[in-house]
């Protein structure tokens, strides 16, 4: 066995190759920066390539092919490479020896996180996602935030950061004044005075009906709207009967939200909300005024934040409405102050609908101008596109209303139930078990469909396609994982010795397995899990091909059999670890 694994503990396979090629470049007197190795874009010719001889030729005034040939000569003597070939005009085509590849894969199997190297500079990161509004039903708009945010949280944690997920409830704006007014109208303020009274009347079904009805009324009637605004303002004083009612509303609403997010497998470390800024906004506004950064405009208190380079100009940042109420912008700015005080994060990432892009531009600019936060605090807007219906417009119910998340999940689970029921034809299974499988499949289908698109793009909700067991879908991947698990369940030992690849498919699988860190890192960098989703899908495809090509349980050569089992076992552990980053569960059977 060759012993090349000396330089660094957790180098990826490709980093090790790069190191070798860099060494060859420097041995010849060239800069090491030309030695970067990438995966070949001509897999028919070679597995990897290095194109550094082309730019090097310009620097050293030589022919690129000559430089590539010199480097190739050195690499040919290295047992890690089975091929090192210079090709016109100056490419370096590389393939690795099966021994080196196998040795690396074996090493991965018993390392923590399969050798994935955590960041050397871990950060404290707050992810602001979910963003549900109290007393309004969760709708599909909140769905993407929850799914993407949860995954980004898991990925950044996997990379070694301290990540805190905050749901940042919408619990302090006008919608609260609307709900409170609606509740008072229904039950009378006299009947809401005690804790028991409030507990009796303020239930989730009341809340669900109250907001839509009262908000419709307020939109149509100026006086009603004025009253709702007054209640909002009074509430924001933080005491009195409106505040008491609000507390109950918050409690009831939170319990319901937790249940719904739970169904999605989404959990938050913090259940803070806009309202938590209520003791901070006053002082913040005073500070901004004292700094001469806020002025009155048409009765409202605003910050001018636009700069010459802004095209179109950024609208002023509103801190206080003319009626004295604070709003979304105020609470968002104050929330950053609070997070600094309580968590002191290096970064805050907002996973919010693209349509709020301007708000976040304004917010980030206001932070910059205010000078109230530490200078090196990084703020990111990870915006996402809309989930559309087949008409290309944001997804609605059949009646044209906003689709409640709960209804959507029910629909998904019952569609998945049909598919699972049709697929599971043998063995005994209870209806509860079937339902549990359908839940995992339905949610997995939705999550994979959502996450396999770049977050910034819109996508079309197509339940039939999402739930299909074939094609690039969650259920296809889950099905592959279940198949492998069922093979492994029938064996006693999974820790046999992995032998060098028996053929092309296994070689391809090994090479692909060594690449997984890049999929995770790329997704982490851009807060875009689609790269990881694509990797997972490709891995499932390769595994399918692998176990179709090589029989496992019926193989009579014991060494081969043990090696195939060990290969599948490793790959399936990696697959489930990566699926977990996407928040997708693997059902017991399918
Ligand atoms: N509640 C908001 C909405 O429903 C989303 C909150 C996003 N986060 C934030 N810090 N603004 O649109």
């Amino acid at each position: 066995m060759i012993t090349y694994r000396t330089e660094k503990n957790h180098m990826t396979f490709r980093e090790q190759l790069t190191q070798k090629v860099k060494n060859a470049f420097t041995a010849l007197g060239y800069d090491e920066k030309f030695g970067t190795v990438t995966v070949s874009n001509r897999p028919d010719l070679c597995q990897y390539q290095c194109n550094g001889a082309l730019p090097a030729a310009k620097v050293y005034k030589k022919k690129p092919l000559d430089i590539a040939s010199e480097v190739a000569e050195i690499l040919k003597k290295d047992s890690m490479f089975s091929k090192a070939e210079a090709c016109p005009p100056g490419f370096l085509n590389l393939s690795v020896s099966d021994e080196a590849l196998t040795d690396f894969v074996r090493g991965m199997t018993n390392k923590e996180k399969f050798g994935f190297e955590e960041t050397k500079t871990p950060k404290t990161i707050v992810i602001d996602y979910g963003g549900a509004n109290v007393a309004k039903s969760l709708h599909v708009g909140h769905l993407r935030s929850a799914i993407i945010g949860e995954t980004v949280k898991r990925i950044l944690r996997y990379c070694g950061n301290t990540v805190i997920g905050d749901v940042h409830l919408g619990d302090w704006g006008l919608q609260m004044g609307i709900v409170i007014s609606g509740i008072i109208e229904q039950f009378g303020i006299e009947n809401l005075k005690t804790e028991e009274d409030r507990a009796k009347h303020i239930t989730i079904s009341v809340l669900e009906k109250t907001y839509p009805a009262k908000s419709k009324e307020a939109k149509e009637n100026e006086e009603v709207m004025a009253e709702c605004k007054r209640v909002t303002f009074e509430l924001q004083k933080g005491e009195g009967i409106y505040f008491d009612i609000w507390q109950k509303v918050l409690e009831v609403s939170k319990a319901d939200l937790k249940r719904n997010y739970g169904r999605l497998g989404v959990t938050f470390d913090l259940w803070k909300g806009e309202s938590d800024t209520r003791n901070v906004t006053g002082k913040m506004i005073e500070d901004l005024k004292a700094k001469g950064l806020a002025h009155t405009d048409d009765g409202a208190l605003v910050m001018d934040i636009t700069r010459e380079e802004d095209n179109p100009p950024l609208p002023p940042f509103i801190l206080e409405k003319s009626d004295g109420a604070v709003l979304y912008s105020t609470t968002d700015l104050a929330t950053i102050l609070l997070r600094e005080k309580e968590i002191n994060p290096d970064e805050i990432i907002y996973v919010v609908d693209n349509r709020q892009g301007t708000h976040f531009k304004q917010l980030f600019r206001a932070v910059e101008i205010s000078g109230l936060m530490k200078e090196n605090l990084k703020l990111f807007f990870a915006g996402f596109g809309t989930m559309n219906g087949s008409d290309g417009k944001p997804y609605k119910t059949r009646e044209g209303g906003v689709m409640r998340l709960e209804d959507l999940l029910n629909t998904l689970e019952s569609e998945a139930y049909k598919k699972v029921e049709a697929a599971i034809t043998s063995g005994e299974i209870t209806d509860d078990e079937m339902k549990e499988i359908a839940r995992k499949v339905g949610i997995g289908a939705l999550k994979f469909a959502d996450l396999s698109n770049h977050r910034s793009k819109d996508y079309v909700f197509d339940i039939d396609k999402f739930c299909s067991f074939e094609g690039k879908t969650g259920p296809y991947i889950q099905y592959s994982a279940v198949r492998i698990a069922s093979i492994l369940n029938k064996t006693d030992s999974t820790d046999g010795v992995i032998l060098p690849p028996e053929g092309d498919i296994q070689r391809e699988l090994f090479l692909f397995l060594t690449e997984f860190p890049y999929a995770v890192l790329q997704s982490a960098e851009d807060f875009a899990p689609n790269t990881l989703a694509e990797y997972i899908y490709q891995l499932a495809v390769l595994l399918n091909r692998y176990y179709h090509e090589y029989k496992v349980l019926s193989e009579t050569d014991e060494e081969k059999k043990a090696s195939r089992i060990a290969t599948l076992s490793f790959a399936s552990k990696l697959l489930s670890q990566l699926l977990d980053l996407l928040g997708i569960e693997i059902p017991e059977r399918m």
Side-chain angles (χ1 to χ4, degrees), residues 128 131-133 142 168-170 274 328 332 350 352 356 359-360:
D128 182 315
N133 296 317
H142 294 112
H168 195 74
L169 293 176
E274 296 168 1
Y328 195 48
D332 255 339
Y350 296 88
V352 185
Q356 294 192 28
H359 165 75
F360 283 96

Side-chain angles (χ1 to χ4, degrees), residues 26-285:
T26 46
L28 292 162
Y30 306 123
D31 196 309
E32 65 159 28
K33 74 176 180 205
F34 299 113
T36 303
V37 172
T38 55
V39 173
S40 163
N41 53 21
R42 285 290 305 272
D44 53 323
L45 295 180
C46 54
Q47 297 162 342
Y48 297 92
Q49 63 192 63
C50 167
N51 301 341
L54 298 165
K58 294 210 178 78
V59 175
Y60 300 102
K61 314 235 171 334
K62 285 193 174 178
K63 283 200 198 114
L65 193 60
D66 290 349
I67 296 182
S69 306
E70 288 174 301
V71 175
E73 279 319 303
I74 294 187
L75 297 177
K76 270 181 195 156
K77 296 190 200 102
D78 191 320
S79 61
M80 193 166 185
F81 297 95
S82 64
K83 175 185 197 166
E85 216 173 60
C87 289
F91 298 122
L92 197 51
N93 291 352
L94 304 167
S95 288
V96 295
S97 73
D98 281 350
E99 289 71 27
L101 177 60
T102 310
D103 196 39
F104 189 88
V105 169
R106 280 184 198 145
M108 285 173 84
T109 58
N110 48 38
K111 287 206 177 92
E112 200 174 322
K113 292 187 181 170
F114 309 112
F116 179 87
E117 191 186 13
E118 292 189 354
T119 169
K120 289 196 194 64
T121 49
K123 297 187 188 101
T124 301
I125 302 170
V126 171
I127 306 195
D128 182 315
Y129 71 109
N133 296 317
V134 165
K136 289 196 208 170
S137 298
L138 271 181
H139 59 78
V140 296
H142 294 112
L143 181 72
R144 295 209 72 192
S145 178
I147 293 179
I148 299 166
E150 178 71 23
T151 299
V152 171
K153 180 182 81 181
R154 292 178 186 209
I155 292 175
L156 292 176
R157 256 184 208 158
Y158 192 82
C159 293
N161 301 289
T162 302
V163 190
I164 296 143
D166 181 3
V167 67
H168 195 74
L169 293 176
D171 61 359
W172 205 231
L174 177 61
Q175 93 268 14
M176 298 312 313
I178 294 177
V179 172
I180 295 169
S181 305
I183 289 174
I184 292 173
E185 183 184 53
Q186 286 171 72
F187 304 106
I189 202 154
E190 284 312 310
N191 299 318
L192 292 161
K193 288 253 146 89
T194 68
E195 181 63 42
E196 292 85 69
D197 284 343
R198 292 191 288 272
K200 191 165 88 198
H201 298 307
I202 303 173
T203 61
I204 190 68
S205 54
V206 164
L207 291 183
E208 279 181 356
K209 279 184 229 114
T210 305
Y211 178 79
K214 193 72 190 173
S215 111
K216 186 163 176 274
E217 203 190 324
K219 271 184 202 134
E220 286 160 3
N221 184 328
E222 260 177 46
E223 263 169 52
V224 175
M225 183 57 102
E227 171 61 9
C228 292
K229 283 187 177 167
R230 188 190 67 77
V231 172
T232 308
F233 177 73
E234 288 298 319
L235 165 72
Q236 289 185 354
K237 288 183 179 160
E239 55 187 26
I241 179 81
Y242 298 137
F243 190 74
D244 295 340
I245 296 175
W246 172 83
Q247 274 185 314
K248 191 73 205 169
V249 172
L250 189 65
E251 184 193 315
V252 171
S253 200
K254 260 191 203 171
D256 186 59
L257 287 170
K258 281 194 181 155
R259 195 177 49 79
N260 266 300
Y261 280 128
R263 244 178 117 178
L264 268 177
V266 171
T267 54
F268 299 94
D269 305 291
L270 296 177
W271 279 80
K272 298 229 167 213
E274 296 168 1
S275 66
D276 285 288
T277 64
R278 62 182 179 270
N279 300 320
V280 187
T281 45
K283 162 116 179 30
M284 179 184 82
I285 290 173

Side-chain angles (χ1 to χ4, degrees), residues 324-437:
V326 297
L327 59 177
Y328 195 48
S329 35
T330 332
T331 53
D332 255 339
L333 190 61
T335 299
I336 303 179
L337 279 179
L338 275 181
R339 285 176 178 158
E340 270 212 340
K341 204 169 115 210
E342 291 163 6
I343 303 168
N344 192 22
D346 302 295
E347 294 178 4
I348 304 176
I349 302 164
Y350 296 88
V351 184
V352 185
D353 196 312
N354 270 335
R355 287 169 291 187
Q356 294 192 28
T358 305
H359 165 75
F360 283 96
K361 267 196 197 133
Q362 291 177 283
L363 176 66
F364 297 173
R365 180 66 62 73
V367 167
E368 229 182 292
I369 290 179
S370 78
L372 296 176
M373 289 78 177
K374 69 176 176 196
E375 237 166 60
N376 53 359
L377 171 68
K378 286 211 179 80
L379 303 170
F380 297 97
F381 175 62
F384 54 80
T386 327
M387 188 177 104
N388 290 329
S390 50
D391 58 357
K393 298 205 186 94
Y395 192 70
K396 293 261 162 66
T397 60
R398 241 176 244 167
E399 294 73 41
V402 179
M403 181 70 139
R404 290 168 69 236
L405 186 65
E406 189 152 17
D407 299 334
L408 181 88
L409 298 185
N410 290 344
T411 316
L412 268 163
E413 287 179 13
S414 60
E415 178 69 21
Y417 187 96
K418 278 188 247 158
K419 295 250 154 92
V420 173
E421 198 180 28
I424 301 183
T425 49
S426 63
E428 274 183 24
I429 186 158
T430 66
D431 193 49
D432 278 351
E433 282 169 331
M434 193 81 96
K435 278 195 183 126
E436 177 57 11
I437 296 172

